[in-house]
Amino acid sequence: MITRICVILLLLVPAIASFGQSAEEIENSTVLVEDLLYKAEKAESLAQKADFLGQGLTIARSLRYDGGIIRGSMMLGRVMLDMGNTEEALQHYLEAESKAQSTGNKTALCRANEALGDLFFKEKLNGTARQYYSKVLLQEPRNYGVMEKAADASLLDMRFDSAEYFYKELIIKYKREGNYPLLVQIYQKLANAYNENGNEPKGLYYYLAIEDIIERLGTPAEKATLYNNMGKQYAALLDYKSALVYFRKAELQCQFVKCEDPEILYANLGVALHNTGKDDEAQRYLLRSRDILIGQRDKKSLASLEHLIAGVYMNTSDFYNALNHNNLAIRYAEDTKQRDVLASTYRTEADLYHELYDFEKAYEYYQKYLTLLDSIRFEERTRRQHLDQQRTMLATAEGQIRYLLTRQSIKDLELQNAQFEEERLKLLNINLVQDKDRAEELALKQREVDDAKKRELALQALRASQDLRIASQALSVEKQNNLIETLQRQEEIDRSKRLADSTSRAQQIALLTRDKKLADLQLEQQESFKRFAYGLGALGLIILGLLGIGWLLARRTGLRLAAQNREIEAQKALIEIERGKSDRLLLNILPEEIAHELRSRGHADPKFYESATVLFTDFQNFTLLTEQLTPEQLIDELDECFLAFDEVCEKHGLEKIKTIGDAYMCAGGLPVANSTHPQDAVMAALEMMRWLRERNQRRPAAVFREMRIGIHTGPVIAGVVGKNKFAYDIWGDAVNLAARMEELGEAGRINISGATYEAVKDQFVCNYRGKKEVHNKGLVDMYFIEKV
């Protein structure tokens, strides 16, 4: 069995191959899957269907094609069930359920759970079948077909309360629709189940309901069948007079219509007449039944009837006729291999010979009876052990398949995560390459901009140098022109002097010497000016270079400081966000005053409150209702209710203390003391009740529909417990008494103590319940809140 399971699950491994396929290839493959499933639907033989479905499932698994896997698994499960391969059918149904659950396909999940319920119902594992049907009803509460299956499974599992609950819904529906044939079927199922369980009075109750319908709407043939069944029911209750009345009514109906199986009716009449002391008439009816069966050559039924006739003769002490009919019963039972009837005939034979004082034959037949009875019991025990073993193996197979499917789902998720991680890394690499390219492009552009600025500065420096050089040259030319003019004027002066007077040659020589020195001095000044101009130009270039370098360094330093400032501001913002989260988390755990004290002092001291009001809520039949829910559904139900209660507490100034399972505990008058806490608690309780009623109207399928509320007012101690995980809690006798108020209350009512009543009696109408016994407290006054 485990090998077959592994083979099917190993088919899921090729899903890796689908990662490398293109979208077009995958689309073509899904079309191929749908084509194979269609061929399977149209195939005539089960072997062909199984072959097509196996191929389709293999491809669907390799593609991770969820729709194909679900449909293929459901279809192949039905085929395997028709072929008698129950375990393989279970594997495929469980695979469909797992895939539907993981993909959130609620419709497919319901169909898979219904198919699993049908499979376990067929294998007589009625408790497991009922669980699967209940899962369907949680999603589809008006699925009356599944509801009837759940009722049948509950009935066979001897859970009569659950069966009647489901049947009640169906009975209401069929009565409303006027569908009396289906109504009769339900009553008949209930009657048969109670009869088989030994509760004949309850079975009669449902037969009377059937009688009411058939008497008004039934045909004569249906009435005949009803009266016969009613007679058998009274006979089972040993009320043979009433049984005879109904058998007579059935016989009367058969005079007007052709009744099915009249031999059964005559046999029943014979038994009833015999038990009412009318033996002769009883024998006539039994022999009439015998003649019909002989005409039908029904040896199987004749064996039981002859044994019955033998018993009637034996009770009237006609042992010889009894012996003859019992011998016929033995022969018929041996021919038809009815071992249970044969054992009964052996016992009757032994009793007859004992009455006839033939003790040797009595002992012989008694030995045969015991031997055959032991053989029957051994075979029955063996058969039951075999059935139990098969059922145990089936239940074990369910757990193994679920385990393997879960492991496969985990592997699929790991594989999917690996694929996602690979895609993420690819995208990350692409982004990094793009970022690098952008950074290089920006750096290149920045270098180009910097080079352009440098070139511009160099050109400006060169232009300034050229301007200085041109100015210097113009100055030199101007000076030369001035010098030439001076020399010309001087030459004219000298010439005029030479013409005006005749000075001595020595004076002329001195004058020429002076003029030459003056010219040399002027030339030297011009050279000094040129050197000064060149130096000034070089100094300007150096200053411009230093200014450019300083500007670049200042710009880089400014950018770095700006980035550091931005990083510091981001860290500050992140710290503030985390501090806000921490504060909100602490306020969700502890009251604001306690949280402030804990932050400022590092600890919070316990406080005594002379008067506080404690409120407890608890849902009716919580343990029974949770058996119908998955853990996720249970948490969702509780979360919806407790969130609403939290809002009510906040509105009325109550402090939520904690939740314990389905119990909700809150208190008023703390951590900040006030004088209105009893009224606040009662108002909150009324609003909680009102919210639950409105929710029941808004959501008819809601599971938690009724709850009890208890309230008590008294002194408490409140404080924070724990070192690493803080919890604000309250202690005291008032807490225990409030819990007792809830336990001793009624569903849909608010039960308060005498102390609370004294505080709220002027604001609310209360109904005194009297003194109720409370464990360890004695008698305590209790009141129900009626209205404001």
Side-chain angles (χ1 to χ4, degrees):
M1 175 186 66
I2 297 174
T3 304
R4 288 199 296 271
I5 297 170
C6 294
V7 168
I8 286 179
L9 290 176
L10 286 174
L11 293 174
L12 300 177
V13 175
I16 303 171
S18 67
F19 293 154
Q21 292 184 339
S22 66
E24 184 178 356
E25 290 174 339
I26 292 175
E27 183 178 357
N28 293 334
S29 299
T30 57
V31 171
L32 178 58
V33 171
E34 295 297 332
D35 182 59
L36 287 169
L37 297 183
Y38 176 77
K39 288 180 179 179
E41 288 180 349
K42 299 301 180 182
E44 296 182 357
S45 69
L46 293 175
Q48 287 179 331
K49 289 179 181 288
D51 184 50
F52 285 130
L53 291 170
Q55 295 178 41
L57 264 177
T58 301
I59 299 172
R61 293 188 186 111
S62 68
L63 297 172
R64 299 167 58 85
Y65 176 30
D66 297 333
I69 293 173
I70 293 171
R71 288 183 54 224
S73 297
M74 290 293 294
M75 293 172 67
L76 192 53
R78 286 193 293 271
V79 170
M80 290 294 110
L81 205 58
D82 293 339
M83 296 175 70
N85 297 332
T86 305
E87 292 178 9
E88 292 189 21
L90 175 63
Q91 295 166 20
H92 292 298
Y93 284 149
L94 287 174
E95 183 179 359
E97 182 203 31
S98 175
K99 187 60 67 176
Q101 193 165 18
S102 64
T103 57
N105 190 336
K106 293 184 178 180
T107 302
L109 180 61
C110 288
R111 300 291 73 75
N113 283 327
E114 183 178 358
L116 285 164
D118 293 343
L119 184 147
F120 283 105
F121 185 78
K122 180 182 177 183
E123 295 298 317
K124 293 183 172 50
L125 288 170
N126 301 303
T128 307
R130 180 176 54 83
Q131 292 174 3
Y132 280 109
Y133 292 142
S134 297
K135 290 181 180 180
V136 178
L137 292 175
L138 285 174
Q139 297 293 330
E140 301 175 350
R142 297 303 173 193
N143 190 330
Y144 293 103
V146 175
M147 189 179 294
E148 185 166 1
K149 292 178 181 180
D152 294 343
S154 300
L155 204 61
L156 295 175
D157 199 35
M158 291 188 293
R159 293 178 177 266
F160 296 106
D161 291 341
S162 298
E164 287 192 345
Y165 171 78
F166 290 123
Y167 280 136
K168 182 180 179 181
E169 295 288 328
L170 294 166
I171 288 169
I172 293 171
K173 176 179 182 294
Y174 295 149
K175 281 184 177 180
R176 185 174 60 249
E177 296 174 352
N179 195 339
Y180 292 103
L182 292 180
L183 195 59
V184 169
Q185 288 182 15
I186 291 176
Y187 288 146
Q188 186 69 58
K189 288 178 182 179
L190 287 165
N192 292 340
Y194 280 113
N195 287 339
E196 290 175 5
N197 198 47
N199 192 348
E200 286 81 6
K202 196 68 178 286
L204 178 61
Y205 169 80
Y206 286 107
Y207 267 120
L208 291 172
I210 296 173
E211 182 183 17
D212 178 66
I213 296 172
I214 298 299
E215 285 281 8
R216 292 184 290 109
L217 304 170
T219 64
E222 290 172 341
K223 290 179 180 179
T225 302
L226 168 68
Y227 296 146
N228 184 58
N229 290 339
M230 292 286 290
K232 288 172 61 179
Q233 192 68 29
Y234 279 111
L237 291 167
L238 304 181
D239 186 356
Y240 291 105
K241 289 183 178 180
S242 298
L244 185 58
V245 170
Y246 277 99
F247 288 139
R248 292 290 194 193
K249 291 173 73 174
E251 183 184 20
L252 182 62
Q253 292 292 328
C254 290
Q255 292 177 3
F256 300 100
V257 295
K258 183 179 179 180
C259 293
E260 295 182 1
D261 304 322
E263 65 278 7
I264 296 176
L265 175 59
Y266 295 149
N268 289 336
L269 274 166
V271 173
L273 288 166
H274 170 67
N275 284 284
T276 54
K278 301 175 182 179
D279 296 321
D280 293 338
E281 191 176 2
Q283 292 170 4
R284 286 197 299 273
Y285 273 107
L286 290 171
L287 292 175
R288 285 176 66 181
S289 176
R290 175 174 176 264
D291 292 340
I292 294 173
L293 291 176
I294 290 174
Q296 295 175 351
R297 296 182 180 179
D298 187 354
K299 291 184 178 181
K300 187 174 182 179
S301 299
L302 277 169
S304 298
L305 183 61
E306 292 288 2
H307 183 246
L308 179 60
I309 295 172
V312 171
Y313 279 114
M314 184 177 176
N315 288 338
T316 58
S317 300
D318 189 350
F319 300 121
Y320 290 102
N321 276 325
L323 193 61
N324 290 332
H325 285 287
N326 197 63
N327 286 330
L328 289 172
I330 291 174
R331 191 181 71 189
Y332 289 136
E334 288 175 343
D335 291 343
T336 55
K337 295 182 173 56
Q338 296 183 78
R339 292 161 60 84
D340 53 343
V341 177
L342 187 59
S344 299
T345 57
Y346 283 158
R347 175 61 188 267
T348 302
E349 194 82 355
D351 292 339
L352 286 171
Y353 279 116
H354 183 271
E355 293 292 337
L356 294 171
Y357 301 102
D358 191 343
F359 299 112
E360 184 176 349
K361 284 191 175 181
Y363 177 75
E364 177 186 350
Y365 277 101
Y366 195 72
Q367 283 291 103
K368 286 183 178 182
Y369 162 71
L370 292 177
T371 302
L372 184 57
L373 186 63
D374 287 342
S375 176
I376 292 171
R377 288 176 176 173
F378 176 75
E379 289 179 0
E380 179 65 18
R381 187 164 57 249
T382 303
R383 186 184 68 83
R384 288 185 177 275
Q385 288 176 350
H386 180 66
L387 287 175
D388 291 341
Q389 185 178 8
Q390 285 185 328
R391 293 169 184 171
T392 303
M393 290 176 64
L394 193 62
T396 305
E398 180 191 13
Q400 292 174 341
I401 295 168
R402 285 193 180 280
Y403 171 71
L404 293 172
L405 285 171
T406 302
R407 288 190 59 186
Q408 186 62 41
S409 298
I410 293 172
K411 289 182 179 178
D412 288 344
L413 289 174
E414 290 175 349
L415 193 60
Q416 189 175 6
N417 288 335
Q419 183 192 15
F420 290 155
E421 183 65 19
E422 182 181 355
E423 294 295 331
R424 189 185 69 81
L425 290 174
K426 286 181 180 178
L427 291 174
L428 183 60
N429 288 334
I430 292 172
N431 291 333
L432 288 174
V433 171
Q434 291 176 348
D435 291 342
K436 181 181 178 183
D437 292 341
R438 282 195 295 270
E440 291 179 354
E441 184 179 355
L442 290 173
L444 182 59
K445 288 182 178 179
Q446 187 64 39
R447 283 197 298 272
E448 291 176 353
V449 171
D450 293 342
D451 291 342
K453 288 182 177 180
K454 289 178 181 178
R455 286 194 297 272
E456 184 179 358
L457 290 172
L459 288 173
Q460 291 176 355
L462 182 60
R463 191 178 296 112
S465 175
Q466 289 176 350
D467 291 341
L468 286 173
R469 193 159 49 246
I470 292 170
S472 174
Q473 289 176 356
L475 181 61
S476 176
V477 170
E478 184 66 28
K479 286 182 178 180
Q480 288 178 358
N481 291 333
N482 291 334
L483 179 60
I484 291 172
E485 291 177 356
T486 303
L487 289 174
Q488 287 176 350
R489 283 194 300 269
Q490 187 64 41
E491 185 178 357
E492 290 176 355
I493 292 170
D494 290 341
R495 188 180 297 114
S496 62
K497 283 182 178 182
R498 281 193 304 270
L499 293 175
D501 54 5
S502 59
T503 55
S504 63
R505 193 170 180 81
Q507 289 177 344
Q508 291 178 354
I509 292 171
L511 184 59
L512 291 172
T513 302
R514 186 192 65 185
D515 294 337
K516 183 178 180 182
K517 289 182 179 178
L518 182 62
D520 291 338
L521 179 62
Q522 289 177 346
L523 289 174
E524 185 177 354
Q525 287 176 349
Q526 290 176 0
E527 291 295 329
S528 298
F529 182 77
K530 287 181 181 180
R531 287 195 297 272
F532 172 75
Y534 288 141
L536 184 63
L539 181 61
L541 288 174
I542 293 171
I543 291 171
L544 288 173
L546 291 174
L547 287 173
I549 293 171
W551 178 78
L552 289 174
L553 292 174
R555 182 173 179 272
R556 290 181 181 176
T557 304
L559 291 174
R560 186 165 59 253
L561 290 174
Q564 290 177 351
N565 288 335
R566 286 195 299 272
E567 186 176 355
I568 291 170
E569 291 298 326
Q571 290 176 351
K572 287 182 179 179
L574 184 61
I575 290 170
E576 290 299 323
I577 291 172
E578 294 300 324
R579 181 180 292 114
K581 289 181 180 178
S582 176
D583 291 343
R584 287 194 299 272
L585 182 61
L586 192 61
L587 289 175
N588 284 336
I589 299 173
L590 303 174
E592 184 176 0
E593 294 78 6
I594 303 300
H596 178 72
E597 182 180 358
L598 195 62
R599 281 198 302 267
S600 59
R601 299 174 55 192
H603 68 278
D605 296 328
K607 294 182 180 179
F608 173 77
Y609 294 88
E610 185 175 353
S611 179
T613 300
V614 184
L615 183 152
F616 274 92
T617 76
D618 191 80
F619 291 109
Q620 186 82 356
N621 299 324
F622 175 76
T623 304
L624 179 63
L625 293 172
T626 52
E627 294 178 356
Q628 305 173 15
L629 302 178
T630 63
E632 293 82 3
Q633 292 167 336
L634 175 61
I635 295 301
D636 289 342
E637 282 281 329
L638 289 176
D639 187 52
E640 180 184 4
C641 296
F642 289 166
L643 281 176
F645 294 171
D646 288 346
E647 293 177 358
V648 173
C649 288
E650 185 175 358
K651 176 181 176 181
H652 293 282
L654 302 186
E655 184 68 36
K656 175 185 176 181
I657 305 301
K658 59 186 173 183
T659 60
I660 311 166
D662 66 317
Y664 184 94
M665 175 184 175
C666 59
L670 53 85
V672 178
N674 61 65
S675 59
T676 62
H677 53 84
Q679 294 84 357
D680 295 338
V682 173
M683 289 296 293
L686 289 170
E687 187 165 345
M688 289 177 181
M689 284 293 188
R690 183 166 58 253
W691 178 88
L692 188 62
R693 287 195 297 270
E694 291 173 354
R695 173 177 176 266
N696 291 340
Q697 294 173 359
R698 188 174 64 254
R699 286 184 52 200
V703 177
F704 301 143
R705 305 183 66 84
E706 294 183 329
M707 71 175 176
R708 301 181 302 272
I709 296 182
I711 302 175
H712 174 64
T713 302
V716 298
I717 297 174
V720 177
V721 295
K723 178 181 179 182
N724 297 323
K725 295 183 178 179
F726 300 113
Y728 183 70
D729 209 344
I730 58 176
W731 302 270
D733 189 58
V735 178
N736 298 328
L737 193 51
R740 300 291 87 76
M741 289 296 106
E742 175 269 313
E743 290 177 3
L744 296 173
E746 296 179 2
R749 307 296 295 272
I750 302 169
N751 190 30
I752 66 172
S753 66
T756 306
Y757 168 75
E758 291 298 328
V760 303
K761 62 183 179 181
D762 295 331
Q763 291 86 14
F764 301 93
V765 177
C766 303
N767 181 17
Y768 182 54
R769 301 180 61 197
K771 293 184 179 293
K772 303 291 182 180
E773 180 70 28
V774 175
H775 183 63
N776 290 334
K777 294 295 291 183
L779 296 175
V780 176
D781 289 320
M782 296 187 189
Y783 299 81
F784 278 142
I785 296 290
E786 298 298 338
K787 60 182 178 179
V788 178

